Amino acid sequence: MADAVLRQWNLLQKIPAHPRKISTSDLLTALNNEGIEIGMRTLQRDLLLLSQIFPLVQDDRSKPYGWSWSEYDAGKHLPGFSPSVAMALLLTQKFLTPTFPKGQLELIERQFKQAEHVLETLKSDDLLNWTEKVYIHPRGFQLQPCEISSEIASQIYEAVLIQKQLHVEYFSKTSNDIRSLTIKPLGLIFRDAMTYVICQSDEYDNYIQLALSRFKKILEVGGSFEYPADFSLTKFTQSGRVGFSLGNEEIEILLRFSNKAGSHLLETKINDSQTHELQDDAILINTTVANNKELRWWILAFGDGVEVLEPISLRDEIHCTLKNALKHYER
């Protein structure tokens, strides 16, 4: 009896949540790899038995057939959370909802529902009303997150984790058409409302970033690949290439802010290289940053609240941009 309980408990842990699924042959291999030696007939009996107790479903609409937890399962059948963990998880959901694509949040919807169930069972008005006491207010002008297929996102996440090549259909904004690519996904970068897949492809010499929202179809999951020894996702991101790089170099900038526009930089620094000097009616900020387009957009967003002092090339560039912008209002 103990062996059967252990076997079935392991089996439940290996069944993914909808929309992912796992075939009986893959389940059998996974159990055997953990030293649980059973045959296919025993596995099939276990699955039928467990599906009468737990919300498990078999998808036999297309091959390969597979098992998954039902998309309607509220998570009540899984190991429970403590109230503090449930509150932390729901706070995370509240924080992510404004910026994360709906399809990505759906991948862990079962855990959110389970957290809600934990608080509901406590019958505590203080806990049930906690969401009315927390409001997430993102800074700046926020765009709505992109629509992303939860099934495509799930397949890409898994390919990143287990280092599997993917043959995909991807919409290219540059060529304005759908292209067929074979990629080696190396990592994920989340930037506000956008999610990017950093990968290698035989069609490109360098590492590339592809927007997750522009993947149209996963045509095939390929074999494993060896992770490049010279690649670091952290260094790739910090190089500024994700921010529409103008080169791999960094530049030192000196900016003069009005007190009103720049006072927040005394509390939330740009980075560790930042230094400042307080003047009677201004704040001088000196720092070294990535030389990219987002730096320009950030400076321009302050309007007349900032002046670029150095480097002269950046000062002249911002000056020219503002002169061109002014023309739109002088017509």
Side-chain angles (χ1 to χ4, degrees):
M1 175 64 73
D3 289 343
V5 171
L6 178 62
R7 181 183 72 242
Q8 292 168 359
W9 176 247
N10 272 274
L11 180 56
L12 285 173
Q13 291 179 314
K14 288 173 174 53
I15 298 175
H18 178 87
R20 297 172 57 205
K21 60 184 178 180
I22 185 170
S23 66
T24 52
S25 58
D26 286 342
L27 281 171
L28 185 63
T29 299
L31 291 174
N32 289 340
N33 287 342
E34 293 192 5
I36 302 176
E37 299 292 341
I38 60 171
M40 181 61 75
R41 292 177 64 84
T42 300
L43 174 61
Q44 291 172 336
R45 284 197 297 269
D46 282 348
L47 287 169
L48 290 175
L49 173 63
L50 292 172
S51 65
Q52 296 174 17
I53 304 171
F54 299 95
L56 304 178
V57 293
Q58 182 181 24
D59 182 0
D60 55 6
R61 294 171 298 176
S62 61
K63 293 183 178 180
Y65 302 147
W67 287 85
S68 64
W69 287 87
S70 168
E71 62 180 312
Y72 305 107
D73 172 35
K76 300 176 183 178
H77 304 86
L78 301 177
F81 298 135
S82 67
S84 58
V85 171
M87 287 185 64
L89 188 59
L90 290 177
L91 182 59
T92 300
Q93 181 190 31
K94 196 176 182 74
F95 181 80
L96 294 177
T97 297
T99 56
F100 256 52
K102 181 180 178 182
Q104 291 177 283
L105 289 178
E106 286 176 351
L107 298 176
I108 51 175
E109 181 66 24
R110 184 169 52 156
Q111 283 72 22
F112 292 144
K113 289 184 180 295
Q114 184 183 1
E116 292 175 353
H117 177 67
V118 168
L119 297 187
E120 288 172 357
T121 57
L122 294 176
K123 305 300 183 183
S124 168
D125 290 338
D126 291 338
L127 288 177
L128 288 176
N129 295 330
W130 77 271
T131 55
E132 302 301 322
K133 304 174 183 178
V134 178
Y135 186 84
I136 308 298
H137 185 54
R139 185 182 183 87
F141 189 78
Q142 296 294 309
L143 303 178
Q144 290 186 345
C146 300
E147 290 291 330
I148 293 178
S149 162
S150 59
E151 185 172 357
I152 289 178
S154 178
Q155 288 180 284
I156 290 178
Y157 292 166
E158 186 168 343
V160 170
L161 291 174
I162 63 177
Q163 295 176 206
K164 290 286 188 180
Q165 296 186 69
L166 295 174
H167 185 45
V168 304
E169 286 186 352
Y170 181 80
F171 175 74
S172 169
K173 288 185 67 177
T174 304
S175 59
N176 196 34
D177 63 2
I178 295 177
R179 303 183 59 190
S180 177
L181 294 172
T182 297
I183 63 172
K184 299 175 182 177
L186 305 175
L188 301 165
I189 295 178
F190 297 89
R191 303 184 69 250
D192 298 324
M194 294 293 292
T195 302
Y196 295 96
V197 184
I198 310 304
C199 52
Q200 284 180 311
S201 174
D202 292 339
E203 298 190 27
Y204 297 90
D205 295 330
N206 298 317
Y207 301 112
I208 58 173
Q209 63 185 59
L210 303 177
L212 185 56
S213 58
R214 297 181 199 138
F215 283 84
K216 298 304 179 183
K217 186 183 295 185
I218 306 297
L219 300 173
E220 183 182 1
V221 178
S224 301
F225 66 89
E226 186 174 346
Y227 202 85
D230 64 343
F231 179 76
S232 164
L233 185 62
T234 299
K235 291 180 180 178
F236 180 88
T237 306
Q238 293 176 346
S239 71
R241 292 178 62 184
V242 182
F244 305 94
S245 176
L246 301 177
N248 292 327
E249 79 283 357
E250 294 185 330
I251 59 172
E252 184 178 355
I253 57 175
L254 179 62
L255 308 176
R256 179 189 287 123
F257 285 90
S258 68
N259 286 323
K260 184 177 181 180
S263 60
H264 70 286
L265 294 174
L266 304 181
E267 298 177 314
T268 55
K269 297 196 301 182
I270 297 172
N271 56 42
D272 290 337
S273 72
Q274 174 181 312
T275 60
H276 69 270
E277 177 186 334
L278 299 181
Q279 300 182 334
D280 290 340
D281 58 349
I283 302 170
L284 293 184
I285 296 292
N286 179 268
T287 187
T288 300
V289 294
N291 185 23
N292 57 33
K293 290 184 180 179
E294 288 197 340
L295 169 63
R296 278 96 175 140
W297 299 338
W298 178 73
I299 292 172
L300 291 168
F302 287 100
D304 63 356
V306 65
E307 177 188 1
V308 178
L309 301 180
E310 296 178 5
I312 296 301
S313 59
L314 180 61
R315 177 184 175 89
D316 291 343
E317 184 182 338
I318 296 296
H319 180 212
C320 181
T321 300
L322 291 173
K323 282 179 63 178
N324 290 334
L326 184 60
K327 293 177 182 177
H328 296 303
Y329 298 92
E330 293 179 332
R331 295 172 180 173

Coordinates of all heavy atoms in Angstrom, one line a residue, residues 70-126:
S70 N -6.9 19.7 -15.0 CA -8.0 20.4 -15.6 C -7.8 21.9 -15.5 O -7.3 22.4 -14.5 CB -9.3 20.1 -15.1 OG -10.3 21.0 -15.5
E71 N -8.1 22.6 -16.6 CA -8.0 24.1 -16.6 C -9.0 24.7 -15.6 O -8.9 25.9 -15.2 CB -8.2 24.7 -18.0 CG -9.6 24.4 -18.6 CD -9.7 25.0 -19.9 OE1 -9.4 26.2 -20.1 OE2 -10.2 24.3 -20.9
Y72 N -10.0 24.0 -15.2 CA -11.0 24.5 -14.3 C -10.7 24.1 -12.8 O -11.5 24.4 -11.9 CB -12.4 23.9 -14.7 CG -12.7 24.2 -16.1 CD1 -12.8 23.2 -17.0 CD2 -13.0 25.5 -16.5 CE1 -13.1 23.5 -18.4 CE2 -13.4 25.8 -17.8 CZ -13.4 24.8 -18.8 OH -13.7 25.0 -20.0
D73 N -9.6 23.4 -12.6 CA -9.2 23.1 -11.2 C -8.8 24.3 -10.5 O -7.9 25.1 -10.9 CB -8.0 22.1 -11.3 CG -7.5 21.8 -9.9 OD1 -8.3 21.8 -8.9 OD2 -6.3 21.6 -9.8
A74 N -9.4 24.6 -9.4 CA -9.1 25.8 -8.6 C -7.9 25.6 -7.7 O -7.5 26.4 -6.9 CB -10.3 26.2 -7.7
G75 N -7.2 24.4 -7.8 CA -6.0 24.2 -7.0 C -6.3 23.7 -5.6 O -5.4 23.6 -4.8
K76 N -7.6 23.4 -5.3 CA -7.9 22.9 -3.9 C -7.4 21.6 -3.6 O -7.3 21.2 -2.4 CB -9.4 23.0 -3.7 CG -10.1 24.3 -4.0 CD -11.6 24.3 -3.9 CE -12.2 25.6 -4.3 NZ -13.6 25.6 -4.2
H77 N -7.0 20.8 -4.6 CA -6.5 19.4 -4.4 C -5.0 19.4 -4.2 O -4.4 18.3 -4.0 CB -6.9 18.6 -5.5 CG -8.4 18.6 -5.8 ND1 -9.0 19.5 -6.6 CD2 -9.4 17.8 -5.4 CE1 -10.3 19.3 -6.6 NE2 -10.6 18.3 -5.9
L78 N -4.3 20.5 -4.3 CA -2.9 20.5 -4.1 C -2.5 20.8 -2.7 O -3.3 21.3 -1.9 CB -2.3 21.6 -5.1 CG -2.6 21.4 -6.5 CD1 -2.0 22.5 -7.3 CD2 -2.0 20.1 -7.0
P79 N -1.2 20.5 -2.3 CA -0.8 20.9 -1.0 C -1.0 22.4 -0.7 O -0.8 23.2 -1.5 CB 0.7 20.6 -1.0 CG 0.9 19.5 -2.1 CD -0.2 19.8 -3.1
G80 N -1.5 22.7 0.5 CA -2.0 24.0 0.9 C -0.9 25.0 1.2 O 0.3 24.6 1.5
F81 N -1.2 26.3 1.0 CA -0.3 27.4 1.4 C -0.7 27.8 2.8 O -1.8 27.7 3.3 CB -0.5 28.6 0.5 CG -0.2 28.3 -0.9 CD1 -1.0 28.8 -2.0 CD2 1.0 27.6 -1.3 CE1 -0.7 28.6 -3.3 CE2 1.3 27.4 -2.6 CZ 0.4 27.9 -3.6
S82 N 0.3 28.4 3.5 CA 0.0 29.1 4.8 C -0.7 30.4 4.4 O -0.5 30.9 3.3 CB 1.3 29.4 5.6 OG 2.1 30.3 4.9
P83 N -1.4 31.1 5.3 CA -2.1 32.3 5.0 C -1.1 33.4 4.5 O -1.3 34.2 3.6 CB -2.7 32.7 6.3 CG -3.0 31.4 7.0 CD -1.8 30.6 6.6
S84 N 0.1 33.4 5.1 CA 1.1 34.5 4.8 C 1.6 34.2 3.4 O 1.8 35.2 2.6 CB 2.3 34.5 5.8 OG 2.9 33.2 5.8
V85 N 1.8 33.0 3.0 CA 2.3 32.6 1.6 C 1.2 33.0 0.6 O 1.4 33.5 -0.5 CB 2.7 31.2 1.5 CG1 3.0 30.8 0.1 CG2 4.0 30.9 2.3
A86 N -0.1 32.7 1.0 CA -1.2 32.9 0.1 C -1.3 34.4 -0.1 O -1.5 34.9 -1.3 CB -2.5 32.4 0.7
M87 N -1.2 35.3 0.9 CA -1.2 36.7 0.7 C -0.1 37.2 -0.1 O -0.3 38.1 -1.0 CB -1.2 37.4 2.1 CG -2.5 37.2 2.9 SD -2.5 38.2 4.4 CE -2.4 39.9 3.8
A88 N 1.1 36.7 0.1 CA 2.3 37.1 -0.7 C 2.1 36.7 -2.2 O 2.4 37.5 -3.1 CB 3.5 36.4 -0.2
L89 N 1.5 35.6 -2.5 CA 1.2 35.1 -3.8 C 0.2 36.0 -4.5 O 0.3 36.4 -5.7 CB 0.8 33.7 -3.9 CG 0.7 33.0 -5.2 CD1 2.0 33.1 -6.0 CD2 0.2 31.6 -5.1
L90 N -0.9 36.4 -3.8 CA -1.9 37.2 -4.4 C -1.4 38.7 -4.6 O -1.8 39.3 -5.5 CB -3.2 37.2 -3.5 CG -3.9 35.8 -3.6 CD1 -5.1 35.9 -2.6 CD2 -4.4 35.5 -5.0
L91 N -0.5 39.1 -3.7 CA 0.1 40.4 -3.9 C 1.0 40.4 -5.1 O 1.0 41.4 -5.9 CB 0.9 40.8 -2.6 CG 1.6 42.2 -2.7 CD1 0.5 43.3 -2.8 CD2 2.4 42.4 -1.4
T92 N 1.7 39.3 -5.3 CA 2.5 39.2 -6.6 C 1.6 39.2 -7.8 O 1.9 39.9 -8.8 CB 3.2 37.8 -6.6 OG1 4.1 37.8 -5.4 CG2 4.0 37.7 -7.8
Q93 N 0.4 38.6 -7.7 CA -0.5 38.6 -8.9 C -1.0 40.1 -9.1 O -1.1 40.5 -10.3 CB -1.8 37.7 -8.6 CG -2.8 37.7 -9.7 CD -4.1 37.0 -9.3 OE1 -4.5 37.1 -8.1 NE2 -4.8 36.4 -10.2
K94 N -1.3 40.8 -8.0 CA -1.8 42.2 -8.2 C -0.7 43.0 -8.8 O -1.0 43.9 -9.6 CB -2.2 42.7 -6.8 CG -3.0 43.9 -6.8 CD -3.4 44.3 -5.4 CE -4.3 45.5 -5.3 NZ -5.7 45.2 -5.8
F95 N 0.6 42.8 -8.4 CA 1.7 43.5 -8.9 C 1.9 43.2 -10.4 O 2.3 44.1 -11.2 CB 2.9 43.2 -8.1 CG 4.1 44.0 -8.5 CD1 4.3 45.3 -8.1 CD2 5.1 43.4 -9.3 CE1 5.4 46.1 -8.5 CE2 6.2 44.2 -9.7 CZ 6.4 45.5 -9.3
L96 N 1.8 42.0 -10.8 CA 2.1 41.6 -12.2 C 1.0 41.9 -13.2 O 1.3 42.1 -14.4 CB 2.5 40.1 -12.2 CG 3.7 39.6 -11.5 CD1 3.8 38.1 -11.5 CD2 4.9 40.2 -12.0
T97 N -0.2 41.9 -12.7 CA -1.3 42.0 -13.7 C -1.3 43.2 -14.6 O -1.6 43.1 -15.8 CB -2.7 42.0 -12.9 OG1 -2.8 40.8 -12.2 CG2 -3.8 42.2 -13.8
P98 N -0.8 44.4 -14.1 CA -0.8 45.5 -15.1 C 0.2 45.4 -16.2 O 0.0 46.1 -17.2 CB -0.5 46.7 -14.1 CG -0.8 46.3 -12.8 CD -0.5 44.8 -12.8
T99 N 1.2 44.6 -16.0 CA 2.3 44.6 -17.0 C 2.5 43.3 -17.7 O 3.1 43.2 -18.8 CB 3.7 45.0 -16.3 OG1 3.9 44.2 -15.2 CG2 3.6 46.5 -15.8
F100 N 2.1 42.2 -17.0 CA 2.4 40.9 -17.6 C 1.3 40.5 -18.6 O 0.1 40.7 -18.4 CB 2.4 39.8 -16.5 CG 3.8 39.3 -16.2 CD1 4.8 40.3 -15.9 CD2 4.2 38.0 -16.2 CE1 6.1 39.9 -15.6 CE2 5.5 37.6 -15.9 CZ 6.4 38.6 -15.6
P101 N 1.7 39.9 -19.7 CA 0.6 39.4 -20.6 C -0.3 38.4 -20.0 O 0.1 37.6 -19.1 CB 1.5 38.7 -21.7 CG 2.8 39.4 -21.7 CD 3.0 39.6 -20.2
K102 N -1.6 38.4 -20.3 CA -2.6 37.6 -19.7 C -2.2 36.1 -19.9 O -2.3 35.3 -19.0 CB -3.9 37.8 -20.3 CG -5.0 37.0 -19.8 CD -6.4 37.3 -20.4 CE -7.5 36.4 -19.9 NZ -8.8 36.7 -20.6
G103 N -1.7 35.7 -21.1 CA -1.3 34.3 -21.3 C -0.3 33.8 -20.4 O -0.3 32.6 -20.0
Q104 N 0.7 34.7 -20.0 CA 1.7 34.3 -19.1 C 1.2 34.0 -17.6 O 1.6 33.1 -17.0 CB 2.8 35.3 -19.0 CG 3.6 35.3 -20.4 CD 4.7 36.4 -20.4 OE1 4.4 37.5 -20.5 NE2 5.9 36.0 -20.2
L105 N 0.3 34.9 -17.2 CA -0.3 34.8 -15.9 C -1.2 33.5 -15.8 O -1.3 32.9 -14.7 CB -1.1 36.0 -15.5 CG -0.3 37.3 -15.2 CD1 -1.2 38.4 -14.9 CD2 0.7 37.0 -14.0
E106 N -1.8 33.2 -16.9 CA -2.7 32.0 -16.9 C -1.9 30.7 -16.6 O -2.5 29.7 -16.1 CB -3.3 31.9 -18.3 CG -4.5 32.9 -18.5 CD -5.0 32.8 -19.9 OE1 -4.5 32.0 -20.7 OE2 -6.1 33.5 -20.1
L107 N -0.6 30.7 -16.8 CA 0.2 29.5 -16.6 C 0.3 29.2 -15.1 O 0.5 28.0 -14.7 CB 1.7 29.7 -17.1 CG 1.8 29.9 -18.6 CD1 3.3 30.2 -18.9 CD2 1.3 28.7 -19.4
I108 N 0.1 30.2 -14.2 CA 0.1 29.9 -12.8 C -1.3 30.3 -12.1 O -1.4 30.6 -11.0 CB 1.2 30.6 -12.1 CG1 1.3 32.1 -12.5 CG2 2.5 30.0 -12.4 CD1 2.3 32.9 -11.7
E109 N -2.3 30.4 -13.0 CA -3.6 30.7 -12.5 C -4.1 29.8 -11.4 O -4.8 30.2 -10.4 CB -4.6 30.7 -13.6 CG -6.1 31.1 -13.2 CD -6.2 32.5 -12.8 OE1 -5.3 33.4 -13.2 OE2 -7.1 32.8 -12.0
R110 N -3.7 28.5 -11.5 CA -4.2 27.5 -10.5 C -3.6 27.8 -9.1 O -4.3 27.7 -8.1 CB -3.7 26.1 -11.0 CG -4.2 25.0 -10.0 CD -3.9 23.6 -10.6 NE -2.5 23.5 -11.1 CZ -1.9 22.3 -11.2 NH1 -2.6 21.2 -10.9 NH2 -0.7 22.2 -11.6
Q111 N -2.4 28.3 -9.1 CA -1.8 28.7 -7.8 C -2.5 29.9 -7.2 O -2.7 30.0 -6.0 CB -0.3 28.9 -7.9 CG 0.6 27.7 -8.1 CD 0.4 26.9 -9.4 OE1 0.0 27.5 -10.4 NE2 0.7 25.7 -9.4
F112 N -2.8 30.9 -8.1 CA -3.6 32.0 -7.6 C -4.9 31.7 -7.0 O -5.3 32.2 -5.9 CB -3.7 33.1 -8.7 CG -2.5 33.7 -9.2 CD1 -2.3 34.0 -10.5 CD2 -1.5 34.0 -8.3 CE1 -1.1 34.6 -11.0 CE2 -0.3 34.6 -8.7 CZ -0.1 34.9 -10.1
K113 N -5.6 30.7 -7.7 CA -6.9 30.3 -7.2 C -6.8 29.6 -5.9 O -7.6 29.7 -5.0 CB -7.6 29.4 -8.2 CG -8.1 30.2 -9.5 CD -8.8 29.3 -10.4 CE -9.3 30.0 -11.6 NZ -10.3 31.0 -11.3
Q114 N -5.7 28.8 -5.7 CA -5.5 28.1 -4.5 C -5.2 29.1 -3.3 O -5.7 28.9 -2.2 CB -4.3 27.1 -4.6 CG -4.0 26.3 -3.4 CD -2.8 25.4 -3.5 OE1 -2.1 25.5 -4.5 NE2 -2.5 24.6 -2.5
A115 N -4.5 30.1 -3.6 CA -4.2 31.1 -2.6 C -5.5 31.8 -2.2 O -5.7 32.1 -1.0 CB -3.2 32.2 -3.1
E116 N -6.4 32.1 -3.1 CA -7.7 32.7 -2.8 C -8.5 31.8 -1.9 O -9.2 32.2 -1.0 CB -8.4 33.0 -4.1 CG -7.8 34.2 -4.9 CD -8.6 34.3 -6.2 OE1 -9.4 33.5 -6.5 OE2 -8.2 35.3 -7.0
H117 N -8.4 30.5 -2.3 CA -9.2 29.5 -1.5 C -8.7 29.4 0.0 O -9.5 29.3 0.9 CB -9.1 28.1 -2.2 CG -9.8 27.0 -1.4 ND1 -11.1 26.9 -1.3 CD2 -9.2 25.9 -0.8 CE1 -11.4 25.9 -0.6 NE2 -10.3 25.2 -0.3
V118 N -7.4 29.5 0.2 CA -6.8 29.5 1.5 C -7.4 30.6 2.4 O -7.8 30.4 3.5 CB -5.3 29.6 1.5 CG1 -4.7 29.8 2.9 CG2 -4.7 28.3 0.9
L119 N -7.4 31.8 1.8 CA -7.9 33.0 2.6 C -9.4 32.9 2.8 O -9.9 33.3 3.8 CB -7.5 34.3 1.9 CG -6.0 34.6 1.7 CD1 -5.8 36.0 1.2 CD2 -5.3 34.4 3.0
E120 N -10.1 32.4 1.8 CA -11.6 32.2 1.9 C -12.0 31.3 3.1 O -12.9 31.5 3.8 CB -12.2 31.8 0.6 CG -12.2 32.8 -0.5 CD -12.7 32.2 -1.8 OE1 -12.9 31.0 -1.9 OE2 -12.7 33.0 -2.8
T121 N -11.2 30.2 3.2 CA -11.5 29.2 4.3 C -11.2 29.8 5.7 O -11.7 29.2 6.6 CB -10.7 28.0 4.0 OG1 -9.3 28.3 4.0 CG2 -11.1 27.3 2.7
L122 N -10.5 30.8 5.8 CA -10.2 31.4 7.1 C -11.3 32.2 7.7 O -11.4 32.4 8.9 CB -8.9 32.3 7.1 CG -7.6 31.5 6.7 CD1 -6.5 32.5 6.6 CD2 -7.3 30.5 7.8
K123 N -12.2 32.6 6.8 CA -13.4 33.4 7.3 C -13.0 34.6 8.0 O -13.7 35.0 9.0 CB -14.4 32.5 8.1 CG -14.8 31.2 7.4 CD -15.6 31.5 6.2 CE -16.1 30.1 5.5 NZ -16.7 30.3 4.3
S124 N -11.9 35.3 7.6 CA -11.5 36.5 8.3 C -11.7 37.7 7.4 O -11.2 37.8 6.3 CB -10.0 36.3 8.6 OG -9.5 37.6 9.1
D125 N -12.5 38.6 7.9 CA -12.8 39.8 7.1 C -11.5 40.6 6.9 O -11.4 41.2 5.8 CB -13.8 40.7 7.8 CG -15.2 40.0 7.8 OD1 -15.5 39.2 7.0 OD2 -16.0 40.4 8.7
D126 N -10.6 40.6 7.8 CA -9.4 41.4 7.7 C -8.6 40.8 6.5 O -8.0 41.6 5.7 CB -8.5 41.3 8.9 CG -9.2 42.1 10.1 OD1 -10.0 43.0 9.8 OD2 -8.8 41.8 11.2

